[in-house]
Amino acid sequence: MLHITICDDEKTQLALLYSFVTEWAGQQKYELEISQYQNADRFLFMQEENPEPDILLLDIDMPGTNGLSLARHLRSKGGAAQIIFITGLTDYILEGYDVEAVSYLIKPVEKERLFSCLDKAKERCGRKTPALLLETPGGAARVKLSDIYYLESDAHDTQVHSTSGIIRCKIGIHELETQLQALSCSFFKIHRSYLVNLSYVSRITRKDLWMDNGTSLPIARGRWESLNQAYLGYYRQK
């Protein structure tokens, strides 16, 4: 059973998306359950008693809690729903990548484009989230790559700065860099002491970069140009 939730404050848009999703599922012969909500707060209230959807079609500009805030809340709780943003706004496209959105669709939604996004979301459903297994003073700890802001070298150890706080790892940053390169293309070494997750980088200057959490980190001499290329390449690939 595939569970899809549609969250949009416009009744006509809900009806349209419902018909598109039903048609797509019929063509693919998927057994389907669809939930519909006209605001994010109602979705969150009902989420307390219901399982998370496999796929979430989510409007951004809604009264009360907007779609981006809802998506960030779900991710902060470990939610793995495949999110497709559907919106009349183009201003937030880059912001959506930090919640690992499948895609953005601009209203009015084209049926063929939605079908393509649903195919991609379905293929990603159930895919294991890449993670690092860290050796800490208190034992082993598993942290999802999508939760890591950046890694900071600390003598022979590494401080892993994540959405849930700082984890001290007994593995050096060079070894962790090798592991990350095998798992993801989203990490870049800006300095011998810092390895950043590009999905959380908000601004880059010649000497520093800023993370979404407000942290400023130094860029080593000679790394600025390659950092910019990696940053642009990362988002183009997305």
Side-chain angles (χ1 to χ4, degrees), residues 70-128:
L70 171 59
R72 290 190 178 110
H73 173 78
L74 294 176
R75 291 295 187 249
S76 72
K77 300 297 183 182
Q82 302 304 317
I83 298 173
I84 301 173
F85 284 115
I86 298 177
T87 179
L89 305 172
T90 59
D91 300 342
Y92 301 102
I93 290 179
L94 287 180
E95 293 186 48
Y97 287 123
D98 65 358
V99 294
E100 301 177 331
V102 173
S103 187
Y104 268 82
L105 295 178
I106 304 299
K107 298 177 181 179
V109 175
E110 297 180 3
K111 181 170 68 174
E112 292 74 16
R113 177 65 177 144
L114 175 60
F115 282 15
S116 176
C117 290
L118 287 169
D119 287 339
K120 184 177 180 181
K122 177 60 175 64
E123 192 272 331
R124 286 171 54 169
C125 284
R127 184 183 294 175
K128 191 172 182 180

Side-chain angles (χ1 to χ4, degrees), residues 158 171-179 189 192:
T158 303
I171 302 173
I173 196 169
H174 297 297
E175 183 177 341
L176 290 176
E177 180 183 10
T178 300
Q179 293 181 32
K189 198 168 190 179
R192 64 181 181 182

Side-chain angles (χ1 to χ4, degrees), residues 4-9 13-14 17 37-41 43-44 53 55-62 65-75 81-88 99 101 103-107 109 114:
I4 296 179
T5 292
I6 307 169
C7 190
D8 195 299
D9 63 318
Q13 185 72 13
L14 276 176
L17 293 174
Y37 301 97
Q38 284 190 260
N39 61 74
D41 297 312
F43 169 82
L44 286 172
I55 300 171
L56 175 59
L57 306 185
L58 183 58
D59 187 18
I60 289 180
D61 190 19
M62 295 183 289
T65 304
N66 67 31
L68 277 172
S69 296
L70 171 59
R72 290 190 178 110
H73 173 78
L74 294 176
R75 291 295 187 249
Q82 302 304 317
I83 298 173
I84 301 173
F85 284 115
I86 298 177
T87 179
V99 294
S103 187
Y104 268 82
L105 295 178
I106 304 299
K107 298 177 181 179
V109 175
L114 175 60

Side-chain angles (χ1 to χ4, degrees), residues 20-72:
F20 284 170
V21 169
T22 302
E23 182 179 344
W24 169 79
Q27 290 181 4
Q28 301 294 332
K29 295 182 169 36
Y30 293 137
E31 188 177 356
L32 184 65
E33 179 182 347
I34 302 178
S35 302
Q36 301 178 77
Y37 301 97
Q38 284 190 260
N39 61 74
D41 297 312
R42 179 62 178 170
F43 169 82
L44 286 172
F45 176 79
M46 296 301 295
Q47 184 73 22
E48 294 179 2
E49 300 180 358
N50 294 284
E52 181 185 47
D54 299 300
I55 300 171
L56 175 59
L57 306 185
L58 183 58
D59 187 18
I60 289 180
D61 190 19
M62 295 183 289
T65 304
N66 67 31
L68 277 172
S69 296
L70 171 59
R72 290 190 178 110

Side-chain angles (χ1 to χ4, degrees), residues 78 127-136 139-148 160 162 164 167:
R127 184 183 294 175
K128 191 172 182 180
T129 303
L132 277 180
L133 186 62
L134 304 176
E135 182 183 350
T136 75
R142 180 178 177 273
V143 58
K144 293 191 295 184
L145 302 194
S146 58
D147 289 342
I148 298 174
V160 179
S162 73
S164 58
I167 304 170

